[in-house]
Every structure is written in structure tokens, then in C-alpha cells.
Amino acid sequence: MQDVSTNTLPATGFLRLPAVLNLIPVARSTWWAGVKSGRYPKPVKLGPRMSAWRAEDVRSLIASFGPQ
């Protein structure tokens, strides 16, 4: 599982929402609105009540923001 305190992104694997929001500082409701609109990647269901995002998708999203 992702260690959110290091702000490092694994090459592959899954990230839960708190880890994603640590890397992309938006509100939880803003994130879910972005997922619904297609701005942010859709999650992968790992169970009936568990969603996660592919690390590759999050890495691509961060790269699309460009240098800051």
C-alpha cells in the first residue's frame, strides 16, 4: 500500500483515495466531481465498498498538469 507521507508514487499498483488526494490537493467532493465529468481517471473497484486508482493513471494525470 502507498505510504502517503513520502509523496512518492509507485511505478505500478493501486492508490486509495487518501493517497491520491495527498498527491493532487483537491477536496474529496471536487475529486469525485472530476471523476464523474471525466477530468480525473475512473477508479477500479477492488471490492463492493473499495475503490482505488491505478498508479499509472495518477502518474499520467500529474504529467498532464505540466511543470509548475
Side-chain angles (χ1 to χ4, degrees):
M1 188 54 62
Q2 169 72 17
D3 179 11
V4 295
S5 65
T6 63
N7 261 354
T8 58
L9 189 57
T12 60
F14 295 99
L15 299 164
R16 298 291 309 275
L17 187 56
V20 173
L21 295 181
N22 191 328
L23 296 167
I24 303 168
V26 297
R28 186 178 294 257
S29 59
T30 301
W31 177 260
W32 282 111
V35 168
K36 185 175 181 181
S37 72
R39 180 176 181 181
Y40 301 135
K42 298 215 177 286
V44 175
K45 294 294 282 182
L46 301 179
R49 294 175 40 116
M50 184 183 297
S51 297
W53 283 262
R54 292 178 354 135
E56 297 89 343
D57 294 343
V58 175
R59 186 181 305 282
S60 297
L61 177 64
I62 292 170
S64 74
F65 293 151
Q68 301 206 1

